[in-house]
Amino acid sequence: MNNIHKIRMFLGALFLCLMIPVCAAQQFITLASTTSTQASGFFDYYLPIFQNKTGVEVRVVAVGTGQALKLGENGDADVLLVHDKVGELKFIEEGFGVDRREVMFNDFVLIGPEADPAKITGLKDAVGAFQRIAESKSEFVSRGDDSGTHRLELRLWKEANIDPHGDGVTWYKEAGAGMGAVLNMLAAGGNAYTISDRATWIAFENRKGLALLDEGDPRLFNQYALILVNPEKHPHVKKEQALMFMDWMTSPEGQKAIGEFKLRDQVLFTPNAGANQ
Amino acid sequence: MFLYAYLLFTNMLVYHYSIIDWPFKYVKRNIIKAMQSILESFKMAINLMLDLNPLLLEIVGLSLGVSLTAVLLASVCGFFAGALLALCSFPGRQAILVILNAFMGLPPVAVGLTVYLLLSRAGPLGDWGLLFTPGAMIFAQWILVTPLIAALSRQVIEDLNVEYRELLWSLGANRLGMLLTLLWEGRLSLTTVMLAGFGRAVAEVGAVLIVGGNIVHHTRVMTTSIVLETAKGNLSQALALGIILIVIACLINAVISISKNYAERASA
């Protein structure tokens, strides 16, 4: 009898433990976003400010842009914060999302070994750099995960007139992994190049022998935008709270908070809501 | 401390004999480097545990809560399924056994993906709104662990059945009575089965990452935060979390094994 009582107590306690997180926040929205915004610590800084002001908790699921759009398509998120304009416009055109608002930007940078065997340092030309990497047959690690970064990288190869999936190409490796995992591969492997968003690079700790080699090509502009998942398609979408978040993020106050987030004395995301819409 | 002194000492040795054993110098230095970063992780793990960092406590608590609940639910189903398979013979039993044994090695990501498709708003159970909650993680781990517990407990009950069948028949026990008696008699072995299930549940990352989403304060558990810290390039922090996970697993196993010994002695 005593044992049964103990087990019952234990189960009760366990049940209570599980209920706490369920009851704690009644008002919340789910935000599907990219790995760069999470891995850089941006959300840990930014979302509590919004929650303190409004009481609405924002729960972030950080995946690649391709998967984030898929989550939106299935109605598994309320808002998306992603960075692939082509994919976003298609998403809206197909009726899965509404109300796209550009909120902030940063840029992509080319990362490689300090020794730089392909000689791309300071080129300020991403396509030219890609051509040199291909000519010197230096190893290039691609995200290969249909993320915003991967999609941009593929567009750059196309513009450089190089088919990295062509016959006889041995220097091109598809990791099928997030930005951090790819940078870890580079740090461990020696002589490979990749393209990264600046935020992940600045926040990245394990830099052994890696350096930022090339930046500044206007093609490397990286725009982040908010999209509301279409409430007409998915009636359970928390439109009211989601719009509250989108309004705040694009408001002067929310924009100022974006610009004030710094890591290693560098601004990671520059606010630009309403700049070119 | 001693380990550290030892490392310093070997470090000196390496430099001292660098000309004599030059082919080994590079390798040795790299080993020492690796050892040093592992040591750093140990220090970090100890600091994290002593600090009682609230975020860490939350993560550990959720890890244990989710995996223990999943294992308890899986045990209820697995024990009875295992016992039924051990005691009853029916057409197709062999096929079920083969499938069950194969499912002990279900890949967590595949289970995670299946559960995602079920719980997604676009899926059949979407109205439950369970996706990206601890409930979804329990569901996924339950699927992962049930076949393991069922298959292992079938073995336990079958062995016991050989031993006790005659006795129980002669006492006039019916099928249900036999099943319950054998489950009770096998309780000590069955706790080991539960531990194996718990080990599988608490260590997996593929399923909880997909159906939980690694949401901070909500669905972030030990393994998913290890993935996140690795993505940040915080390798020593990631390893420190791994060390804490191992320590917790050891503690749980120790508690179970001590209470098992106690129970064995009490029943002997």
Side-chain angles (χ1 to χ4, degrees):
Chain A
M1 201 57 214
N2 201 15
N3 270 344
I4 291 171
H5 188 65
K6 269 182 201 160
I7 292 171
R8 207 180 279 165
M9 289 269 288
F10 175 70
L11 283 179
L14 204 70
F15 189 68
L16 275 179
C17 288
L18 287 171
M19 289 312 286
I20 290 165
V22 177
C23 303
Q26 276 134 358
Q27 273 208 320
F28 70 90
I29 54 172
T30 306
L31 171 69
S33 189
T34 66
T35 47
S36 49
T37 34
Q38 184 179 55
S40 59
F42 173 69
F43 284 137
D44 295 335
Y45 151 83
Y46 194 70
L47 298 179
I49 306 176
F50 175 69
Q51 190 176 353
N52 285 341
K53 195 174 160 66
T54 60
V56 177
E57 185 192 352
V58 181
R59 295 182 179 169
V60 180
V61 179
V63 289
T65 292
Q67 201 187 336
L69 291 173
K70 191 74 198 169
L71 287 178
E73 198 182 311
N74 287 343
D76 294 324
D78 302 308
V79 193
L80 312 180
L81 177 63
V82 286
H83 62 143
D84 173 36
K85 193 168 179 179
V86 180
E88 289 161 28
L89 293 179
K90 189 167 158 263
F91 181 79
I92 288 169
E93 200 177 295
E94 286 169 351
F96 296 120
V98 289
D99 201 358
R100 176 177 180 274
R101 302 186 198 177
E102 301 191 339
V103 282
M104 61 192 190
F105 69 92
N106 63 5
D107 59 346
F108 292 100
V109 292
L110 293 175
I111 306 295
E114 275 163 355
D116 190 18
K119 307 249 175 312
I120 64 165
T121 303
L123 264 188
K124 296 200 174 169
D125 172 13
V127 171
F130 270 36
Q131 278 163 345
R132 288 196 186 185
I133 290 170
E135 276 161 25
S136 66
K137 294 199 167 38
S138 305
E139 196 170 297
F140 186 95
V141 182
S142 164
R143 289 277 293 274
D145 64 347
D146 194 31
S147 58
T149 312
H150 183 219
R151 290 176 178 188
L152 170 91
E153 179 220 306
L154 291 179
R155 285 199 291 274
L156 289 174
W157 286 121
K158 207 169 180 188
E159 207 173 321
N161 265 328
I162 294 161
D163 178 14
H165 300 95
D167 291 335
V169 176
T170 52
W171 46 270
Y172 187 80
K173 305 272 185 331
E174 277 192 343
M179 198 67 251
V182 168
L183 289 172
N184 277 328
M185 280 171 73
L186 254 61
N191 265 336
Y193 291 83
T194 195
I195 185 165
S196 166
D197 64 282
R198 190 183 289 273
T200 307
W201 169 249
I202 291 176
F204 192 68
E205 299 279 350
N206 180 29
R207 292 187 179 187
K208 284 176 207 159
L210 294 179
L212 192 169
L213 298 176
D214 190 31
E215 57 185 320
D217 185 327
R219 294 183 191 92
L220 297 180
F221 182 73
N222 182 20
Q223 178 70 52
Y224 288 84
L226 287 165
I227 301 176
L228 178 68
V229 174
N230 194 350
E232 279 170 25
K233 253 201 166 118
H234 295 288
H236 60 267
V237 166
K238 295 171 182 151
K239 187 179 168 189
E240 198 182 317
Q241 286 104 318
L243 281 176
M244 227 156 104
F245 177 67
M246 291 170 74
D247 288 343
W248 184 75
M249 205 167 175
T250 49
S251 74
E253 190 193 346
Q255 290 277 294
K256 190 162 161 272
I258 293 174
E260 280 167 2
F261 178 60
K262 282 184 187 171
L263 218 68
R264 302 181 206 266
D265 283 331
Q266 295 176 70
V267 175
L268 267 66
F269 301 100
T270 312
N272 72 338
N276 40 12
Q277 287 182 5
Chain B
M1 192 60 208
F2 286 115
L3 193 57
Y4 200 70
Y6 169 75
L7 278 177
L8 274 178
F9 180 64
T10 42
N11 221 340
M12 276 161 55
L13 276 186
V14 168
Y15 282 109
H16 194 250
Y17 294 111
S18 55
I19 300 162
I20 305 168
D21 57 4
W22 61 268
F24 305 109
K25 190 183 77 179
Y26 185 68
V27 178
K28 269 196 185 167
R29 223 186 251 166
N30 275 357
I31 289 174
I32 286 164
K33 252 190 204 161
M35 288 295 286
Q36 275 167 346
S37 53
I38 290 172
L39 256 183
E40 195 189 321
S41 300
F42 265 104
K43 269 193 227 155
M44 211 178 243
I46 291 166
N47 282 339
L48 277 174
M49 282 190 279
L50 292 182
D51 269 4
L52 293 180
N53 179 318
L55 187 61
L56 179 75
L57 286 180
E58 199 182 282
I59 290 171
V60 171
L62 189 67
S63 255
L64 293 180
V66 165
S67 296
L68 284 174
T69 316
V71 169
L72 285 177
L73 294 176
S75 299
V76 172
C77 311
F79 287 164
F80 278 94
L84 279 176
L85 280 169
L87 298 181
C88 308
S89 62
F90 50 88
R93 177 175 175 273
Q94 203 59 38
I96 289 180
L97 287 186
V98 169
I99 291 172
L100 205 59
N101 284 332
F103 274 22
M104 286 203 285
L106 273 181
V109 265
V111 171
L113 198 55
T114 313
V115 173
Y116 167 74
L117 290 173
L118 285 175
L119 296 181
S120 163
R121 291 284 180 176
L125 307 179
D127 293 339
W128 295 2
L130 260 186
L131 193 68
F132 305 139
T133 66
M137 296 155 85
I138 292 171
F139 186 32
Q141 292 195 343
W142 173 73
I143 293 180
L144 265 180
V145 172
T146 303
L148 180 87
I149 290 185
L152 292 179
S153 55
R154 180 202 57 96
Q155 193 62 51
V156 169
I157 301 298
E158 212 165 76
D159 292 348
L160 280 174
N161 189 29
V162 173
E163 218 175 298
Y164 286 95
R165 187 169 35 200
E166 309 278 313
L167 177 67
L168 288 174
W169 275 126
S170 66
L171 290 173
N174 59 4
R175 275 268 164 82
L176 184 66
M178 264 177 84
L179 188 146
L180 292 175
T181 316
L182 289 177
L183 279 176
W184 179 246
E185 285 308 314
R187 64 191 181 280
L188 293 180
S189 312
L190 292 178
T191 40
T192 313
V193 170
M194 280 175 84
L195 275 182
F198 177 73
R200 179 156 163 82
V202 83
E204 71 86 24
V205 63
V208 283
L209 194 56
I210 296 177
V211 302
N214 190 22
I215 300 168
V216 66
H217 304 310
H218 192 59
T219 56
R220 183 165 299 170
V221 291
M222 300 289 291
T223 49
T224 57
S225 39
I226 292 173
V227 170
L228 178 63
E229 290 307 323
T230 311
K232 287 179 181 172
N234 265 335
L235 301 193
S236 37
Q237 170 105 17
L239 189 54
L241 287 170
I243 291 167
I244 293 174
L245 183 60
I246 295 168
V247 168
I248 290 168
C250 286
L251 283 178
I252 289 175
N253 276 282
V255 168
I256 302 275
S257 107
I258 288 169
S259 47
K260 237 170 99 172
N261 276 346
Y262 180 76
E264 262 164 13
R265 233 174 282 151
S267 65

